[in-house]
């Protein structure tokens, strides 16, 4: 019987019980493509799954990890052949389908995207769901018709994974980027990515007015709650905010004022079940638009054994940028 190394989470009374184990290939879930996983990453959502801070895992036992890159080992799907390099983001992996913190994964081929030309598997995971989500946010703002000449763009959770990649993408596209962060010590890091201004997240985190002074034409928000409400209240006439996260909370204590008095749009961005055509567009743009030097600047690499510790740290706000996991 073929086995491989995996991090397995079982349900416990005080949260997930996590252990590295030898997992049997015969116990993998149904799918038409088997991938030898070479790299993964640690997103905020992975941290929630590892710590049990939110009910991310909905099937037990579970191999966490919502992203992977690797090489096709076996395929019954005509779109993929053994040896192909592929990327997976979301689709319930690490939640309802055995995930990425393992040396092998069996999934539906429809969930896979070919590794874009010019990207290595490690770079793809340096981008990961956080970076791919950032690109989806940028695309949504562009499709809304917004451009750098319309005014500044604000990015919340700026030192996190989504925020870091969003800043790099938007700055390279010519936007004046305002970075909102609670980590003042990361100012040089954020400016290195292309942020033109740094503001303290406390300016946005408390309850605000229904309509504030117009400060930006667009926004990328990974925080939610009062922060998102304040972003909307300060968005210029005809502007838009792309919302993709809930680090502060799932609530949205806002008013209709920005929508009916300024024509502001709230653009919801989902990465998990995003259609394949949009995924392909996002990954193509990431391969062409993301500065590799800046990607390297925001990336830390860890072994699989360090995933539990890193998952806890990311939930505590102690992880900067992106983390690549070498599966081995």
């Amino acid at each position: 019987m073929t086995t491989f190394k995996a991090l397995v989470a079982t349900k416990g009374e005080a949260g997930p019980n996590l252990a590295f184990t030898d997992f049997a290939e015969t116990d993998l879930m149904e799918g038409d493509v088997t991938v030898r996983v070479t790299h993964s990453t640690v997103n905020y959502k992975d941290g929630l799954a590892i710590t049990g801070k939110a009910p991310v895992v909905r099937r037990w036992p579970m191999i966490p990890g919502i992203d992977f890159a690797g090489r096709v080992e076996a395929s019954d799907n005509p779109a993929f052949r053994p040896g192909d390099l592929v990327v997976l983001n979301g689709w319930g992996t690490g939640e309802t389908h055995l995930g990425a913190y393992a040396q092998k994964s069996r999934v539906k081929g429809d969930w896979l995207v070919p590794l874009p030309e010019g990207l290595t598997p490690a770079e793809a995971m340096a981008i990961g769901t956080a970076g791919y989500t950032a690109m989806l946010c940028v695309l949504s703002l562009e499709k809304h018709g917004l451009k750098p000449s319309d005014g500044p763009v604000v990015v919340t959770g700026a030192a996190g994974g989504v925020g870091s990649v969003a800043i790099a993408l938007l700055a390279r596209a010519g936007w004046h980027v305002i970075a909102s962060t609670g980590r003042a010590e990361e100012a040089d890091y954020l400016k290195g990515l292309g942020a033109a201004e740094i503001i303290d997240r406390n300016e946005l985190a408390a309850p605000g007015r229904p309509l504030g002074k117009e400060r930006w034409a667009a926004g990328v928000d990974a925080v939610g709650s009062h922060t998102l409400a304040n972003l909307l209240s300060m968005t210029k006439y005809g502007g838009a905010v792309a919302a993709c996260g809930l680090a502060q909370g799932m609530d949205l204590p806002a008013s209709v004022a920005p929508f009916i008095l300024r024509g502001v749009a709230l653009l919801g961005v989902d990465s998990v079940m995003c259609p394949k055509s949009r995924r392909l567009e996002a990954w193509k743009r990431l391969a062409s638009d993301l500065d590799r030097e800046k990607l390297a600047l925001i990336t830390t690499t860890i072994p699989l054994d360090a995933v539990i510790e890193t998952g806890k740290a990311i939930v505590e706000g102690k992880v900067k940028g992106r983390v690549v996991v070498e599966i081995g």
Side-chain angles (χ1 to χ4, degrees):
M1 181 175 65
T2 302
T3 63
F4 53 88
K5 186 178 180 180
L7 175 62
V8 177
T10 54
K11 193 171 186 177
E13 291 185 7
N17 295 317
L18 299 154
F20 291 98
T21 186
D22 291 327
F23 197 87
E25 187 169 347
T26 53
D27 290 335
L28 286 172
M29 297 175 72
E30 290 186 7
D32 53 8
V33 180
T34 302
V35 178
R36 174 65 171 85
V37 179
T38 61
H39 298 81
S40 185
T41 182
V42 182
N43 300 287
Y44 187 78
K45 191 173 187 178
D46 295 312
L48 293 175
I50 287 168
T51 60
K53 295 289 186 182
V56 171
V57 177
R58 299 190 296 280
R59 175 198 183 276
W60 304 93
M62 176 54 61
I63 297 173
I66 64 173
D67 288 339
F68 69 66
R71 192 176 296 276
V72 173
E73 200 170 75
S75 174
D76 293 322
N77 187 300
F80 298 99
R81 296 180 298 177
D84 287 349
L85 291 171
V86 293
V87 176
L88 180 140
N89 308 106
W91 293 116
T93 15
E95 301 178 61
T96 57
H97 193 95
L98 295 176
Y101 296 151
Q103 291 176 317
K104 289 192 182 186
S105 181
R106 186 182 296 128
V107 297
K108 295 180 181 179
D110 290 344
W111 296 352
L112 298 170
V113 171
L115 180 73
E117 187 174 349
L119 282 179
T120 67
E123 287 174 332
M125 287 299 97
I127 295 168
T129 282
Y132 146 69
T133 301
M135 188 75 246
L136 290 175
C137 290
V138 172
L139 289 171
S140 70
L141 295 173
E142 290 178 354
K143 291 178 193 299
H144 193 71
L146 294 168
K147 52 191 182 301
S149 59
D150 293 325
V153 59
V154 62
V155 177
T156 64
V162 173
S164 294
V165 178
I167 290 168
L169 289 168
L170 290 163
R172 190 173 189 185
W175 287 86
H176 179 98
V177 181
I178 301 171
S180 168
T181 182
R183 298 185 246 177
E185 69 276 11
E186 302 298 356
D188 289 342
Y189 164 80
L190 296 171
K191 288 178 180 177
L193 293 177
E197 295 181 52
I198 313 293
I199 61 174
D200 192 301
R201 70 181 176 199
N202 289 329
E203 289 187 36
L204 304 171
R209 295 184 298 172
L211 210 59
K213 180 182 177 181
E214 294 176 272
R215 296 179 64 179
W216 36 72
V220 173
D221 178 60
V223 178
S225 193
H226 292 292
T227 297
L228 177 54
N230 283 317
L231 251 62
L232 292 166
S233 78
M234 299 177 193
T235 298
K236 293 184 176 183
Y237 191 96
V241 177
C244 65
L246 44 65
Q248 187 180 10
M250 289 187 69
D251 59 322
L252 181 56
S255 82
V256 298
F259 308 116
I260 65 174
L261 297 179
R262 289 184 183 160
V264 169
L266 175 57
L267 309 174
V269 174
D270 165 63
S271 64
V272 178
M273 307 304 288
C274 180
K276 190 164 185 175
S277 60
R278 205 174 304 158
R279 291 171 182 263
L280 290 168
E281 180 185 11
W283 277 102
K284 182 179 179 180
R285 285 285 300 275
L286 284 161
S288 64
D289 293 9
L290 186 57
D291 187 315
R292 299 295 194 282
E293 290 185 3
K294 289 186 177 177
L295 182 62
L297 176 69
I298 69 174
T299 302
T300 303
T301 301
I302 63 169
L304 181 58
D305 293 346
V307 158
I308 298 173
E309 177 186 345
T310 305
K312 293 175 181 177
I314 199 170
V315 172
E316 294 170 358
K318 297 178 180 178
V319 172
K320 176 175 69 176
R322 300 289 298 129
V323 177
V324 171
V325 182
E326 291 185 335
I327 299 298

